[in-house]
Amino acid sequence: MLLEMNHIRKNFDGVDVLRDISLSVKQGEIVSIIGPSGSGKSTLLRCATMLETIDGGEITYMGEKAVWVENKKPVFAKKDKMKAIRSCYGLVFQNFNLFPHYSVIQNITDAPIHVQKRKKDEVFAEARELLKKMGLSDKENAYPCQLSGGQCQRVAIARALALNPKILFFDEPTSALDPELTGEVLKVIRSLADLDITMVIVTHEMSFARDISDRIIFMDGGVIALEGSPEEVFGAEHTRMKEFLGRFREK
Amino acid sequence: MSLIDIFQHLLPGIGKTIGIFVCTLVFSMPLGMIIAFGRMSKCFILRNVVKLYISVMRGTPLMLQLMVVYFGPYFIFRIQISSSYRLYAVLIAFALNYAAYFAEIYRGGIESMPQGQYEAAQLLGYGKGQTFFKIILPQVMKRILPAVTNEVITLVKDTSLAFSIAYTEMFTMAKALASSQTSVLPFVAAGIFYYVFNLLVAVVMEKLEKKLSYYR
Ligand SMILES: Nc1ncnc2c1ncn2[C@@H]1O[C@H](COP(=O)(O)OP(=O)(O)OP(=O)(O)O)[C@@H](O)[C@H]1O
Ligand SMILES: [Mg+2]
């Protein structure tokens, strides 16, 4: 297993946002997480990527325990181990979070050069290759403020990929975009699927999730209410799931 | 005495005024950053001590602070003060006072940074120092530039306060010259000097702002 989350609990101000969630992801697997607003999808990704600490359970990457809970306090792996663990996942944010003072190419190359200490020309060559894949070769020297939302998100994806993560998390990568721009981003994510990159995607794009996923997780009220292949989940006789899908069809 | 003569006469003072200006900036800007970090510290005691310091520095006149720094050692500790201490007193008081103002400007800028920038940096593996110096600080600088400009312009004029402990910067000399010559012209010269100085400051800061306007 690439990622194992066991019995994760997370509590915000006395409210249980994640209640005993267990989730594992295999190498090469594509998992989509769907569910109503406030069900804890973002929180789950934020716990998996250590942006939030957990209040219960443990998270393991590639068999290495990254964080667990002792005496109700989260405990992290040792510093050097943690560094290796951190480098094996990436996250694409809903609102991109590009660095506005860096050009597109700087956004992509800075971390590989200054964090991973890789060779400059090698990193640049790879970054240009990534930009080509994203259809942004002509935007190398543009600044984020000069790009559309869809272009920004593609740069953000390239930036995450440049670190060669084993697993890539997406938190509603198209929710901040105009409808006509979501297509280009979804297309890019689809192309990653062909490259065998492990992905965990929180999304409200149901048909996209159904197409691309090996497995779908339906979250509701801080628990995994339903889990299975797209056919199983979308065809399930589950009241909450049907309610949720019904609301989508109306839109 | 013509204006030209007056300016020539004031020249040593002008040098000292510029000296106060430059030294104050050189000391107070980095000091302000340290104070800003103290003000944002997780440690309750440190945070509140710094808060008190800032509120005193901003809540009392700089002229009073100058006098306390200059006369304090004698009145409190009976330490004989040498005349060379005058300059140090000016620089200490100015640096301490301006650092408090800069600290609040820095804090405002740092706290206005969206959390997402820190999170993105963390995900990309940047350490705390790298995140601050490469990602946060450059953006903060751009954000606070207008506020810093204000402060620098105020500083140009505030240098005249050094006259209160009889440090012979430009304004102190102009005042002496005005009374000895019974003429208002030295004051006119002083006014022209401050105005031109600030014009220069404004031009430089505008250039800086332009330089940073390549992104939003
Ligand atoms: N930092 C926080 N402090 C307090 N409560 C929080 C925090 N982050 C999230 N929550 C709460 O946790 C719950 C789950 O939030 P989360 O963002 O994970 O939901 P979500 O499933 O991603 O929703 P959406 O589809 O709207 O993005 C919500 O009730 C939210 O108010
Ligand atoms: Mg969310």
Side-chain angles (χ1 to χ4, degrees):
Chain A
M1 284 297 164
L2 187 47
L3 164 66
E4 267 180 89
M5 299 178 84
N6 291 321
H7 305 291
I8 302 299
R9 288 188 297 105
K10 178 67 190 174
N11 183 295
F12 278 123
D13 316 316
V15 180
D16 288 323
V17 174
L18 299 180
R19 298 184 294 174
D20 196 13
I21 287 207
S22 295
L23 159 75
S24 13
V25 182
K26 278 200 303 255
Q27 175 80 45
E29 203 177 13
I30 297 175
V31 178
S32 287
I33 302 177
I34 59 174
S37 185
S39 56
K41 307 181 297 295
S42 296
T43 307
L44 182 65
L45 286 202
R46 293 173 59 82
C47 286
T49 53
M50 325 264 163
L51 289 177
E52 300 285 357
T53 55
I54 53 176
D55 296 315
E58 57 178 40
I59 300 174
T60 306
Y61 278 95
M62 301 175 299
E64 293 275 10
K65 252 208 238 183
V67 58
W68 61 95
V69 173
E70 263 173 36
N71 301 324
K72 303 195 170 169
K73 286 245 162 30
V75 185
F76 291 92
K78 290 219 180 57
K79 213 172 168 186
D80 48 333
K81 237 184 209 168
M82 205 57 201
K83 208 171 165 183
I85 290 170
R86 277 185 190 285
S87 72
C88 81
Y89 60 79
L91 171 64
V92 174
F93 298 86
Q94 182 174 348
N95 53 356
F96 335 130
N97 289 332
L98 291 175
F99 303 132
H101 59 307
Y102 282 174
S103 67
V104 166
I105 195 85
Q106 280 176 304
N107 262 286
I108 298 172
T109 55
D110 195 74
I113 294 170
H114 293 106
V115 175
Q116 294 186 331
K117 315 274 183 211
R118 285 164 51 198
K119 278 209 205 72
K120 240 181 171 163
D121 24 341
E122 175 195 308
V123 169
F124 268 86
E126 237 183 81
R128 295 205 168 97
E129 203 56 43
L130 277 169
L131 279 176
K132 207 163 134 197
K133 255 186 223 145
M134 301 291 147
L136 291 171
S137 289
D138 54 330
K139 298 292 182 196
E140 185 177 318
N141 294 311
Y143 284 85
C145 62
Q146 301 166 319
L147 303 179
S148 73
Q151 292 170 331
C152 281
Q153 192 58 296
R154 284 182 279 154
V155 174
I157 293 172
R159 179 175 72 171
L161 286 172
L163 292 165
N164 295 315
K166 294 205 162 45
I167 179 168
L168 200 48
F169 296 94
F170 294 81
D171 191 1
E172 303 196 26
T174 58
S175 293
L177 304 179
D178 293 334
E180 60 269 27
L181 298 179
T182 58
E184 60 190 47
V185 171
L186 294 182
K187 204 175 109 197
V188 161
I189 300 175
R190 260 178 231 271
S191 74
L192 302 183
D194 300 334
L195 295 179
D196 236 20
I197 294 172
T198 311
M199 294 192 275
V200 176
I201 307 167
V202 171
T203 183
H204 286 301
E205 301 286 334
M206 292 305 144
S207 54
F208 170 73
R210 181 196 286 255
D211 279 1
I212 194 180
S213 312
D214 300 311
R215 185 149 54 101
I216 300 230
I217 285 171
F218 173 62
M219 278 185 71
D220 189 26
V223 297
I224 294 179
L226 208 54
E227 181 175 4
S229 69
E231 296 75 34
E232 281 166 0
V233 170
F234 283 108
E237 288 300 319
H238 187 281
T239 355
R240 291 286 295 164
M241 177 71 193
K242 283 192 151 166
E243 255 176 55
F244 172 69
L245 285 180
R247 244 175 296 146
F248 261 92
R249 295 219 177 79
E250 279 164 34
K251 273 184 203 163
Chain B
M1 257 183 140
S2 75
L3 263 181
I4 307 271
D5 295 332
I6 291 172
F7 272 120
Q8 243 160 26
H9 191 90
L10 294 180
L11 215 52
I14 287 176
K16 286 181 180 175
T17 294
I18 293 173
I20 298 174
F21 173 81
V22 171
C23 290
T24 302
L25 287 185
V26 165
F27 293 130
S28 65
M29 289 184 122
L31 184 59
M33 190 55 83
I34 296 168
I35 294 171
F37 278 121
R39 178 70 181 77
M40 294 184 289
S41 160
K42 285 196 189 80
C43 169
F44 176 86
I45 297 173
L46 177 62
R47 191 173 63 237
N48 282 283
V49 166
V50 172
K51 201 170 159 184
L52 178 69
Y53 166 80
I54 292 173
S55 104
V56 169
M57 282 299 159
R58 299 206 301 174
T60 58
L62 176 53
M63 199 192 285
L64 178 66
Q65 294 164 17
L66 269 165
M67 291 182 175
V68 168
V69 172
Y70 183 54
F71 297 115
Y74 179 69
F75 288 156
I76 302 168
F77 305 109
R78 299 287 150 186
I79 296 169
Q80 211 56 46
I81 37 186
S82 67
S83 62
S84 66
Y85 177 60
R86 225 186 276 277
L87 170 62
Y88 296 121
V90 168
L91 295 184
I92 291 169
F94 269 82
L96 290 180
N97 178 279
Y98 269 81
Y101 283 94
F102 281 127
E104 285 297 90
I105 292 176
Y106 295 154
R107 180 171 72 95
I110 291 171
E111 288 181 348
S112 78
M113 286 298 295
Q115 196 56 33
Q117 292 289 303
Y118 291 96
E119 292 181 351
Q122 184 183 328
L123 257 301
L124 293 172
Y126 290 100
K128 282 218 163 75
Q130 277 180 320
T131 302
F132 183 73
F133 286 107
K134 293 185 71 118
I135 311 298
I136 303 300
L137 190 59
Q139 296 184 58
V140 166
M141 299 240 251
K142 178 182 163 88
R143 282 172 191 231
I144 63 173
L145 211 52
V148 169
T149 303
N150 264 337
E151 220 45 63
V152 174
I153 285 175
T154 308
L155 173 60
V156 169
K157 295 176 285 184
D158 271 358
T159 54
S160 62
L161 287 174
F163 93 93
S164 59
I165 57 170
Y167 179 69
T168 51
E169 44 66 64
M170 195 275 298
F171 189 68
T172 312
M173 291 181 79
K175 212 169 136 259
L177 197 60
S179 30
S180 72
Q181 302 271 318
T182 55
S183 156
V184 77
L185 266 189
F187 288 135
V188 173
I192 291 173
F193 168 73
Y194 287 126
Y195 185 75
V196 171
F197 196 161
N198 269 329
L199 222 48
L200 235 66
V201 168
V203 167
V204 169
M205 294 310 266
E206 209 170 302
K207 275 242 166 69
L208 262 172
E209 252 176 80
K210 266 237 177 71
K211 218 176 153 189
L212 292 179
S213 69
Y214 67 89
Y215 72 91
R216 249 175 297 141

PDB file of all heavy atoms in Angstrom, chain A residues 35-60:
ATOM      1  N   GLY A  35     -19.017  13.823  -2.004  1.00  0.00           N
ATOM      2  CA  GLY A  35     -19.825  13.963  -0.797  1.00  0.00           C
ATOM      3  C   GLY A  35     -20.296  15.381  -0.628  1.00  0.00           C
ATOM      4  O   GLY A  35     -19.720  16.299  -1.219  1.00  0.00           O
ATOM      5  N   PRO A  36     -21.328  15.562   0.198  1.00  0.00           N
ATOM      6  CA  PRO A  36     -21.879  16.901   0.372  1.00  0.00           C
ATOM      7  C   PRO A  36     -20.891  17.854   1.032  1.00  0.00           C
ATOM      8  O   PRO A  36     -19.911  17.421   1.654  1.00  0.00           O
ATOM      9  CB  PRO A  36     -23.106  16.670   1.267  1.00  0.00           C
ATOM     10  CG  PRO A  36     -22.963  15.313   1.846  1.00  0.00           C
ATOM     11  CD  PRO A  36     -22.079  14.539   0.931  1.00  0.00           C
ATOM     12  N   SER A  37     -21.150  19.139   0.890  1.00  0.00           N
ATOM     13  CA  SER A  37     -20.310  20.167   1.486  1.00  0.00           C
ATOM     14  C   SER A  37     -20.274  19.994   3.005  1.00  0.00           C
ATOM     15  O   SER A  37     -21.302  19.742   3.627  1.00  0.00           O
ATOM     16  CB  SER A  37     -20.881  21.535   1.123  1.00  0.00           C
ATOM     17  OG  SER A  37     -20.037  22.524   1.592  1.00  0.00           O
ATOM     18  N   GLY A  38     -19.092  20.105   3.572  1.00  0.00           N
ATOM     19  CA  GLY A  38     -18.958  19.994   5.026  1.00  0.00           C
ATOM     20  C   GLY A  38     -18.830  18.562   5.516  1.00  0.00           C
ATOM     21  O   GLY A  38     -18.765  18.324   6.718  1.00  0.00           O
ATOM     22  N   SER A  39     -18.752  17.612   4.607  1.00  0.00           N
ATOM     23  CA  SER A  39     -18.684  16.217   5.042  1.00  0.00           C
ATOM     24  C   SER A  39     -17.272  15.831   5.479  1.00  0.00           C
ATOM     25  O   SER A  39     -17.067  14.747   6.009  1.00  0.00           O
ATOM     26  CB  SER A  39     -19.174  15.289   3.926  1.00  0.00           C
ATOM     27  OG  SER A  39     -18.433  15.512   2.752  1.00  0.00           O
ATOM     28  N   GLY A  40     -16.290  16.705   5.243  1.00  0.00           N
ATOM     29  CA  GLY A  40     -14.942  16.448   5.740  1.00  0.00           C
ATOM     30  C   GLY A  40     -13.947  16.022   4.672  1.00  0.00           C
ATOM     31  O   GLY A  40     -12.849  15.556   4.991  1.00  0.00           O
ATOM     32  N   LYS A  41     -14.288  16.204   3.414  1.00  0.00           N
ATOM     33  CA  LYS A  41     -13.399  15.766   2.327  1.00  0.00           C
ATOM     34  C   LYS A  41     -12.075  16.531   2.354  1.00  0.00           C
ATOM     35  O   LYS A  41     -10.997  15.926   2.295  1.00  0.00           O
ATOM     36  CB  LYS A  41     -14.094  15.982   0.959  1.00  0.00           C
ATOM     37  CG  LYS A  41     -15.469  15.355   0.857  1.00  0.00           C
ATOM     38  CD  LYS A  41     -16.098  15.574  -0.496  1.00  0.00           C
ATOM     39  CE  LYS A  41     -16.370  17.024  -0.841  1.00  0.00           C
ATOM     40  NZ  LYS A  41     -17.385  17.656   0.028  1.00  0.00           N
ATOM     41  N   SER A  42     -12.167  17.848   2.419  1.00  0.00           N
ATOM     42  CA  SER A  42     -10.935  18.648   2.450  1.00  0.00           C
ATOM     43  C   SER A  42     -10.129  18.315   3.690  1.00  0.00           C
ATOM     44  O   SER A  42      -8.898  18.196   3.630  1.00  0.00           O
ATOM     45  CB  SER A  42     -11.261  20.141   2.456  1.00  0.00           C
ATOM     46  OG  SER A  42     -11.901  20.504   1.273  1.00  0.00           O
ATOM     47  N   THR A  43     -10.805  18.176   4.804  1.00  0.00           N
ATOM     48  CA  THR A  43     -10.110  17.878   6.053  1.00  0.00           C
ATOM     49  C   THR A  43      -9.340  16.567   5.937  1.00  0.00           C
ATOM     50  O   THR A  43      -8.204  16.466   6.406  1.00  0.00           O
ATOM     51  CB  THR A  43     -11.109  17.815   7.222  1.00  0.00           C
ATOM     52  OG1 THR A  43     -11.882  19.019   7.225  1.00  0.00           O
ATOM     53  CG2 THR A  43     -10.400  17.664   8.546  1.00  0.00           C
ATOM     54  N   LEU A  44      -9.951  15.597   5.276  1.00  0.00           N
ATOM     55  CA  LEU A  44      -9.275  14.309   5.100  1.00  0.00           C
ATOM     56  C   LEU A  44      -7.980  14.491   4.297  1.00  0.00           C
ATOM     57  O   LEU A  44      -6.921  13.988   4.670  1.00  0.00           O
ATOM     58  CB  LEU A  44     -10.211  13.321   4.396  1.00  0.00           C
ATOM     59  CG  LEU A  44      -9.654  11.913   4.196  1.00  0.00           C
ATOM     60  CD1 LEU A  44      -9.430  11.237   5.547  1.00  0.00           C
ATOM     61  CD2 LEU A  44     -10.598  11.062   3.343  1.00  0.00           C
ATOM     62  N   LEU A  45      -8.054  15.245   3.199  1.00  0.00           N
ATOM     63  CA  LEU A  45      -6.848  15.493   2.396  1.00  0.00           C
ATOM     64  C   LEU A  45      -5.821  16.292   3.192  1.00  0.00           C
ATOM     65  O   LEU A  45      -4.619  16.042   3.099  1.00  0.00           O
ATOM     66  CB  LEU A  45      -7.184  16.277   1.117  1.00  0.00           C
ATOM     67  CG  LEU A  45      -7.891  15.557  -0.025  1.00  0.00           C
ATOM     68  CD1 LEU A  45      -7.649  16.307  -1.324  1.00  0.00           C
ATOM     69  CD2 LEU A  45      -7.443  14.128  -0.154  1.00  0.00           C
ATOM     70  N   ARG A  46      -6.311  17.253   3.975  1.00  0.00           N
ATOM     71  CA  ARG A  46      -5.384  18.086   4.750  1.00  0.00           C
ATOM     72  C   ARG A  46      -4.697  17.272   5.840  1.00  0.00           C
ATOM     73  O   ARG A  46      -3.558  17.557   6.195  1.00  0.00           O
ATOM     74  CB  ARG A  46      -6.102  19.307   5.317  1.00  0.00           C
ATOM     75  CG  ARG A  46      -6.552  20.284   4.216  1.00  0.00           C
ATOM     76  CD  ARG A  46      -7.409  21.402   4.770  1.00  0.00           C
ATOM     77  NE  ARG A  46      -6.696  22.158   5.779  1.00  0.00           N
ATOM     78  CZ  ARG A  46      -5.820  23.127   5.523  1.00  0.00           C
ATOM     79  NH1 ARG A  46      -5.590  23.452   4.276  1.00  0.00           N
ATOM     80  NH2 ARG A  46      -5.211  23.747   6.488  1.00  0.00           N
ATOM     81  N   CYS A  47      -5.399  16.274   6.361  1.00  0.00           N
ATOM     82  CA  CYS A  47      -4.756  15.386   7.343  1.00  0.00           C
ATOM     83  C   CYS A  47      -3.731  14.489   6.638  1.00  0.00           C
ATOM     84  O   CYS A  47      -2.629  14.292   7.128  1.00  0.00           O
ATOM     85  CB  CYS A  47      -5.799  14.531   8.049  1.00  0.00           C
ATOM     86  SG  CYS A  47      -6.776  15.448   9.252  1.00  0.00           S
ATOM     87  N   ALA A  48      -4.112  13.987   5.469  1.00  0.00           N
ATOM     88  CA  ALA A  48      -3.217  13.092   4.737  1.00  0.00           C
ATOM     89  C   ALA A  48      -1.931  13.815   4.340  1.00  0.00           C
ATOM     90  O   ALA A  48      -0.862  13.211   4.262  1.00  0.00           O
ATOM     91  CB  ALA A  48      -3.916  12.542   3.496  1.00  0.00           C
ATOM     92  N   THR A  49      -2.026  15.132   4.069  1.00  0.00           N
ATOM     93  CA  THR A  49      -0.861  15.889   3.626  1.00  0.00           C
ATOM     94  C   THR A  49      -0.204  16.659   4.773  1.00  0.00           C
ATOM     95  O   THR A  49       0.643  17.526   4.538  1.00  0.00           O
ATOM     96  CB  THR A  49      -1.252  16.876   2.515  1.00  0.00           C
ATOM     97  OG1 THR A  49      -2.352  17.661   2.974  1.00  0.00           O
ATOM     98  CG2 THR A  49      -1.660  16.149   1.254  1.00  0.00           C
ATOM     99  N   MET A  50      -0.653  16.380   5.987  1.00  0.00           N
ATOM    100  CA  MET A  50      -0.065  16.959   7.211  1.00  0.00           C
ATOM    101  C   MET A  50      -0.263  18.463   7.324  1.00  0.00           C
ATOM    102  O   MET A  50       0.468  19.139   8.044  1.00  0.00           O
ATOM    103  CB  MET A  50       1.441  16.667   7.335  1.00  0.00           C
ATOM    104  CG  MET A  50       1.868  15.351   6.821  1.00  0.00           C
ATOM    105  SD  MET A  50       1.990  14.100   8.059  1.00  0.00           S
ATOM    106  CE  MET A  50       1.997  12.661   7.000  1.00  0.00           C
ATOM    107  N   LEU A  51      -1.237  18.988   6.620  1.00  0.00           N
ATOM    108  CA  LEU A  51      -1.563  20.403   6.834  1.00  0.00           C
ATOM    109  C   LEU A  51      -2.385  20.550   8.108  1.00  0.00           C
ATOM    110  O   LEU A  51      -2.441  21.615   8.706  1.00  0.00           O
ATOM    111  CB  LEU A  51      -2.353  20.968   5.649  1.00  0.00           C
ATOM    112  CG  LEU A  51      -1.573  21.148   4.355  1.00  0.00           C
ATOM    113  CD1 LEU A  51      -2.480  21.653   3.251  1.00  0.00           C
ATOM    114  CD2 LEU A  51      -0.415  22.111   4.554  1.00  0.00           C
ATOM    115  N   GLU A  52      -3.040  19.451   8.502  1.00  0.00           N
ATOM    116  CA  GLU A  52      -3.731  19.409   9.786  1.00  0.00           C
ATOM    117  C   GLU A  52      -3.141  18.243  10.577  1.00  0.00           C
ATOM    118  O   GLU A  52      -2.732  17.238   9.986  1.00  0.00           O
ATOM    119  CB  GLU A  52      -5.232  19.152   9.621  1.00  0.00           C
ATOM    120  CG  GLU A  52      -5.990  20.168   8.814  1.00  0.00           C
ATOM    121  CD  GLU A  52      -6.251  21.473   9.541  1.00  0.00           C
ATOM    122  OE1 GLU A  52      -5.883  21.599  10.737  1.00  0.00           O
ATOM    123  OE2 GLU A  52      -6.815  22.374   8.900  1.00  0.00           O
ATOM    124  N   THR A  53      -3.143  18.382  11.887  1.00  0.00           N
ATOM    125  CA  THR A  53      -2.742  17.260  12.718  1.00  0.00           C
ATOM    126  C   THR A  53      -3.976  16.402  12.986  1.00  0.00           C
ATOM    127  O   THR A  53      -5.096  16.898  12.922  1.00  0.00           O
ATOM    128  CB  THR A  53      -2.170  17.756  14.059  1.00  0.00           C
ATOM    129  OG1 THR A  53      -3.154  18.590  14.661  1.00  0.00           O
ATOM    130  CG2 THR A  53      -0.905  18.539  13.846  1.00  0.00           C
ATOM    131  N   ILE A  54      -3.748  15.130  13.270  1.00  0.00           N
ATOM    132  CA  ILE A  54      -4.887  14.253  13.536  1.00  0.00           C
ATOM    133  C   ILE A  54      -5.097  14.121  15.044  1.00  0.00           C
ATOM    134  O   ILE A  54      -4.180  14.338  15.830  1.00  0.00           O
ATOM    135  CB  ILE A  54      -4.676  12.860  12.898  1.00  0.00           C
ATOM    136  CG1 ILE A  54      -3.329  12.258  13.336  1.00  0.00           C
ATOM    137  CG2 ILE A  54      -4.753  12.951  11.380  1.00  0.00           C
ATOM    138  CD1 ILE A  54      -3.112  10.844  12.809  1.00  0.00           C
ATOM    139  N   ASP A  55      -6.315  13.791  15.427  1.00  0.00           N
ATOM    140  CA  ASP A  55      -6.615  13.590  16.846  1.00  0.00           C
ATOM    141  C   ASP A  55      -6.745  12.113  17.193  1.00  0.00           C
ATOM    142  O   ASP A  55      -6.934  11.755  18.350  1.00  0.00           O
ATOM    143  CB  ASP A  55      -7.917  14.320  17.214  1.00  0.00           C
ATOM    144  CG  ASP A  55      -7.773  15.818  17.054  1.00  0.00           C
ATOM    145  OD1 ASP A  55      -6.740  16.357  17.488  1.00  0.00           O
ATOM    146  OD2 ASP A  55      -8.667  16.464  16.469  1.00  0.00           O
ATOM    147  N   GLY A  56      -6.675  11.279  16.166  1.00  0.00           N
ATOM    148  CA  GLY A  56      -6.751   9.847  16.432  1.00  0.00           C
ATOM    149  C   GLY A  56      -6.368   9.074  15.192  1.00  0.00           C
ATOM    150  O   GLY A  56      -6.512   9.576  14.076  1.00  0.00           O
ATOM    151  N   GLY A  57      -5.829   7.874  15.368  1.00  0.00           N
ATOM    152  CA  GLY A  57      -5.469   7.034  14.228  1.00  0.00           C
ATOM    153  C   GLY A  57      -4.028   7.177  13.828  1.00  0.00           C
ATOM    154  O   GLY A  57      -3.203   7.722  14.569  1.00  0.00           O
ATOM    155  N   GLU A  58      -3.701   6.681  12.627  1.00  0.00           N
ATOM    156  CA  GLU A  58      -2.322   6.790  12.153  1.00  0.00           C
ATOM    157  C   GLU A  58      -2.293   6.824  10.622  1.00  0.00           C
ATOM    158  O   GLU A  58      -3.201   6.325   9.956  1.00  0.00           O
ATOM    159  CB  GLU A  58      -1.489   5.606  12.669  1.00  0.00           C
ATOM    160  CG  GLU A  58      -2.061   4.262  12.270  1.00  0.00           C
ATOM    161  CD  GLU A  58      -1.182   3.113  12.751  1.00  0.00           C
ATOM    162  OE1 GLU A  58      -0.677   3.188  13.871  1.00  0.00           O
ATOM    163  OE2 GLU A  58      -1.017   2.159  11.976  1.00  0.00           O
ATOM    164  N   ILE A  59      -1.249   7.449  10.109  1.00  0.00           N
ATOM    165  CA  ILE A  59      -1.090   7.558   8.668  1.00  0.00           C
ATOM    166  C   ILE A  59       0.255   6.953   8.283  1.00  0.00           C
ATOM    167  O   ILE A  59       1.287   7.276   8.885  1.00  0.00           O
ATOM    168  CB  ILE A  59      -1.156   9.028   8.208  1.00  0.00           C
ATOM    169  CG1 ILE A  59      -2.522   9.628   8.585  1.00  0.00           C
ATOM    170  CG2 ILE A  59      -0.922   9.139   6.706  1.00  0.00           C
ATOM    171  CD1 ILE A  59      -2.635  11.107   8.309  1.00  0.00           C
ATOM    172  N   THR A  60       0.224   6.089   7.281  1.00  0.00           N
ATOM    173  CA  THR A  60       1.437   5.410   6.854  1.00  0.00           C
ATOM    174  C   THR A  60       1.635   5.624   5.361  1.00  0.00           C
ATOM    175  O   THR A  60       0.703   5.471   4.577  1.00  0.00           O
ATOM    176  CB  THR A  60       1.318   3.898   7.136  1.00  0.00           C
ATOM    177  OG1 THR A  60       0.986   3.714   8.499  1.00  0.00           O
ATOM    178  CG2 THR A  60       2.611   3.181   6.818  1.00  0.00           C
TER     179      THR A  60
END
